[in-house]
Amino acid sequence: MDNSAAGAAGAEASLAAAAGSRPVGVDHDLDLIFHQLTELRELAADPDKAKDSGRVYDFSIRWGTLLAGRLQRLAHYHGRGELAPDAQARYDALRAELRDTVALADGLGLARPAVPLDDAPLDDPDPR
């Protein structure tokens, strides 16, 4: 490991210790996804924007990246019981909003979240 990687790993460990062994960056992840949900609603509500294939494509890249990275990370910490109570409440609210917007995402041809959107196990990877 080079010095910069060792320094970054040490800094992250120090932040986690300072946060009470809670994952660092969870609030930022939640903020990003909530913001994208707002953008999804705006995009789906405007027929002109929803027909703009370039705009939908650009959004789909951001959306897919958040679902594959940030949302998976949050689900991992949730599954391990490592979210602080306030972050857990926000994560539960996020999953409720994702449930409410699945039809909007489907209408635009966007990816669906690959994490359970409720507390029941996800048996079918394509719950419709």
Side-chain angles (χ1 to χ4, degrees), residues 58-80:
D58 288 345
F59 180 82
S60 75
I61 298 300
R62 292 188 308 276
W63 178 252
T65 300
L66 286 174
L67 294 183
R70 306 282 181 161
L71 184 60
Q72 290 291 332
R73 179 176 183 269
L74 291 168
H76 168 78
Y77 289 132
H78 163 73
R80 294 175 54 128

Side-chain angles (χ1 to χ4, degrees), residues 22 26-27 30 34 74 77-78 81-99 117 119:
R22 296 292 183 194
V26 166
D27 288 328
L30 288 161
F34 275 118
L74 291 168
Y77 289 132
H78 163 73
E82 294 182 13
L83 295 176
D86 60 326
Q88 181 62 54
R90 289 186 70 205
Y91 180 67
D92 292 340
L94 175 68
R95 292 187 302 163
E97 284 199 41
L98 286 165
R99 275 192 306 270
L117 297 180
D119 289 328

